[in-house]
């Protein structure tokens, strides 16, 4: 049976893969697994969404499923994913639900679940929820049915939390913020302005269908162009649910998640808040990040791809920063998940505190050319472990030595083997990646 949950919740084409019926069933099953309640009150759940049109439909379905299972549904409206995680704790909820497909195109949608306190669910809990969906049970009747309420000014506690987490004044900085017509369209610019920055917000007029449409963190050229046109100090780009943040410097040059991690890790080291002098990153982070951190005396712990695995490593090791090249940055002292707005505030706070430009701060990292080739195969796991493929990887690693690296892994969602190579030059990386991909393709046919 295909697993319903992916690397970040349940996701698919809204009203086709992800139907109201699936949402009702998923919500009711989550209630049975996660709802605990307390003496004198029913269990409760916080529900938020991004602005895409199908979110209205799925929000109604989720609330219906929760109420039918005897759980009170607290609707907080359109807010970023990290805000919903935070408010799950604020409202002392048994669990939280975020309806969003993140950076995916508008026709898609998704449902993310948070445990009490706003923490992401481990695999075994997701498996229990899937099992509960396959064995539905009768719900309560009469006064036992859950109630659905809306929270006025739901964003206020989250905005106050952001202000307390990064109290440094950003006065004197001008930032262009690409909101992707998404969940951060209101709270992102508001948080940056309240911190003192001059804010130029673009793509901040969601209409239900324009989310991620040629804008946001997957179209970094848009904010780069705007930064140069406005003469801004930097640009920030969020995705549809604002759990990630990418940046550009004053010239429009990309400052990706690896560079942001480097800048913030060194800021924390200088402030004495980088616990164990350790940064957590995924295996996809550029070798340049590892080399820069090694030179700065910072250890890098690596995890599988996915911010949930970064979060697990952060929690198990008690570390204070981790993230992904894609712009998911987790600061566990202030957030239980990646928070794009918090990341943007922290990045600008480092600029304000040092008086350095983002280009100067990011120059600590020299990015090695990286080539990624996706090879379609019949059985990704058997191909990835085939002896001839393993030999090709070992030969490439021997050729590269300490000046590059090879990462070969099966895709988490498709019948693909991903071949990633970093080397001193793009041509060298392309040549080695192509050589390995040829072997992978031959085995996979």
């Amino acid at each position: 049976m295909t697993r319903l949950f992916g690397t970040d919740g349940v996701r698919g084409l809204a009203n086709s893969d992800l139907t109201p019926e699936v949402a009702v069933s998923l919500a009711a099953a989550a209630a049975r697994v996660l709802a605990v309640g307390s003496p004198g009150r029913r269990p409760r759940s916080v529900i938020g969404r991004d602005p895409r049109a199908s979110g209205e439909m799925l929000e109604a379905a989720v609330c219906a499923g929760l109420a039918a299972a005897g759980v009170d549904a607290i609707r907080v409206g359109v807010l970023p994913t990290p805000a919903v995680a935070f408010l799950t704790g604020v409202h002392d909820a048994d669990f939280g639900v975020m309806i969003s497909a993140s950076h995916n195109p508008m026709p898609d949608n998704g449902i993310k679940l948070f445990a009490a306190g706003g923490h992401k669910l481990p695999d075994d809990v997701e498996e229990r929820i899937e099992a509960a969906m396959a064995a539905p049970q009768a719900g309560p009747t009469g006064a036992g049915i859950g109630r659905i309420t809306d929270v006025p000014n739901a964003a206020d506690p989250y905005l106050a939390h952001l202000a307390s987490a990064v109290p440094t004044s950003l006065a004197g900085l001008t930032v262009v913020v690409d909101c992707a017509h998404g969940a951060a369209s209101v709270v992102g610019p508001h948080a940056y302005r309240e911190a003192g920055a001059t804010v130029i917000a673009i793509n901040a007029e969601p209409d239900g269908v324009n989310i991620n449409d040629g804008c946001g963190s997957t179209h970094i050229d848009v904010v780069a162009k705007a930064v140069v046109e406005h003469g801004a100090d930097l640009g920030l780009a969020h995705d549809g649910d604002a759990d990630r943040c990418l940046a550009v410097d004053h010239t429009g040059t990309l400052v990706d998640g690896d560079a942001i991690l480097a800048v913030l890790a060194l800021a924390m080291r200088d402030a004495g808040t980088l616990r164990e002098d350790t940064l957590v990153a995924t295996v996809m982070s550029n070798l340049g990040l590892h080399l820069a951190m090694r030179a700065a005396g910072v250890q890098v712990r690596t995890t599988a791809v996915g911010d949930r695995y970064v979060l697990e490593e952060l929690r198990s090791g008690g570390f204070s920063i981790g993230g992904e090249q894609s712009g998911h940055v987790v600061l566990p002292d202030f957030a239980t998940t990646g928070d794009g707005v918090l990341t943007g505030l922290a990045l600008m706070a480092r600029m304000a505190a040092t008086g350095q430009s983002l280009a100067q701060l990011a120059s600590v990292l020299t990015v090695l050319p990286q080539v990624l080739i996706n090879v379609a195969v019949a059985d990704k796991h058997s191909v990835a472990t085939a002896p001839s493929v393993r030999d090709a990887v070992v030969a490439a690693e021997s050729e590269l030595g300490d000046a590059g690296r090879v990462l070969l892994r099966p895709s988490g969602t498709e019948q693909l083997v991903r071949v990633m190579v970093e080397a001193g030059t793009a041509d060298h990386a392309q040549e080695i990646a192509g050589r390995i991909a040829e072997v992978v393709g031959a085995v996979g046919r």
Side-chain angles (χ1 to χ4, degrees), residues 382-431:
S382 64
V383 171
T385 56
S388 59
V389 171
R390 190 166 57 246
D391 290 346
V393 170
V394 169
E397 289 175 335
S398 176
E399 179 180 335
L400 288 166
D402 293 333
R405 69 178 181 129
V406 177
L407 176 65
L408 183 142
R409 66 183 183 90
S411 165
T413 57
E414 302 170 89
Q415 282 296 340
L416 300 173
V417 172
R418 305 193 192 280
V419 180
M420 189 274 284
V421 175
E422 292 168 347
T425 68
D427 287 345
H428 195 195
Q430 183 67 54
E431 189 247 321

Side-chain angles (χ1 to χ4, degrees), residues 10-394:
V10 177
R11 197 174 294 186
L13 181 60
N15 216 29
S16 176
D17 305 315
L18 185 55
T19 63
E21 292 80 7
V22 170
V24 169
S25 176
L26 177 60
R32 287 164 51 196
V33 173
L34 300 173
V36 177
S38 62
R41 75 158 174 86
R42 268 191 300 260
R44 59 169 70 117
S45 176
V46 169
I47 302 93
R49 62 182 178 87
D50 72 23
R52 67 189 76 210
S54 61
E56 300 163 2
M57 170 187 74
L58 293 172
E59 178 189 59
V62 166
C63 288
L66 295 174
V71 174
D72 288 342
I74 303 170
R75 292 194 300 199
V76 296
V78 174
L79 284 176
T81 288
V84 174
F86 176 74
L87 292 172
T88 298
V90 167
H91 289 279
D92 192 26
D94 295 76
F95 61 102
V97 184
M98 178 65 186
I99 300 166
S100 174
S102 190
H103 61 281
N104 282 29
M106 184 278 293
D108 289 346
N109 215 325
I111 298 176
K112 305 179 186 183
L113 298 173
F114 295 99
H119 297 283
K120 290 198 172 183
L121 305 182
D123 289 346
D124 65 308
V125 175
E126 291 180 343
E127 289 166 1
R128 287 168 54 201
I129 293 172
E130 284 198 37
M133 290 177 69
Q137 295 180 1
T141 59
I145 295 173
R147 306 297 297 274
I148 301 171
T149 58
D150 294 309
V151 179
N153 305 312
D156 288 354
Y158 173 64
L159 288 168
H161 169 67
L162 290 177
S164 65
V166 187
T168 305
S169 172
L170 305 181
L173 289 177
T174 298
V175 59
V176 176
V177 184
D178 187 340
C179 302
H181 295 306
S185 293
V186 174
V187 297
H190 181 90
Y192 300 138
R193 288 190 181 105
E194 286 296 299
T198 298
V199 179
I200 301 165
I202 62 174
N203 301 310
E205 299 175 346
D207 61 10
V209 297
N210 58 3
I211 187 170
N212 299 323
D213 187 8
C215 57
S217 61
T218 54
H219 298 274
I220 202 73
D221 57 304
V222 176
V223 73
K225 180 180 178 182
V227 164
V228 174
E229 288 177 349
H230 290 281
D233 296 294
L234 76 159
L236 302 173
H238 299 301
D239 58 338
D241 69 335
D243 64 352
R244 69 173 69 180
C245 175
L246 292 176
V248 297
D249 65 22
H250 68 285
T251 70
T253 300
L254 173 65
V255 178
D256 69 4
D258 283 347
I260 292 171
L261 285 171
V263 171
L264 297 186
L266 295 185
M268 297 173 76
R269 182 204 61 183
D270 293 349
T273 59
L274 185 65
R275 288 191 289 278
E276 303 296 327
D277 284 332
T278 296
L279 164 69
V280 178
T282 77
V283 292
M284 289 301 292
S285 283
N286 193 274
L287 179 60
L289 176 63
H290 293 258
L291 297 176
M293 293 298 94
R294 185 186 305 164
V298 175
Q299 180 183 359
V300 179
R301 299 283 290 267
T302 56
T303 74
V305 175
D307 67 329
R308 63 184 300 166
Y309 302 112
V310 172
L311 281 160
E312 288 173 5
E313 184 68 18
L314 287 168
R315 293 179 70 183
S316 64
F319 306 122
S320 49
I321 182 173
E324 298 184 279
Q325 194 179 64
S326 61
H328 283 115
V329 175
V330 186
L331 301 171
D333 287 346
F334 306 106
T336 58
T337 187
D339 189 328
V341 179
L342 176 64
T343 300
L345 288 168
L347 193 61
M348 287 192 284
R350 180 61 168 172
M351 294 172 65
T354 61
Q356 292 184 298
S357 69
L358 182 55
Q360 290 172 313
L361 292 171
S363 67
V364 67
L365 184 150
T366 300
V367 177
L368 270 68
Q370 186 180 84
V371 171
L372 176 65
I373 300 177
N374 294 317
V375 185
V377 296
D379 184 342
K380 59 188 176 183
H381 295 293
S382 64
V383 171
T385 56
S388 59
V389 171
R390 190 166 57 246
D391 290 346
V393 170
V394 169

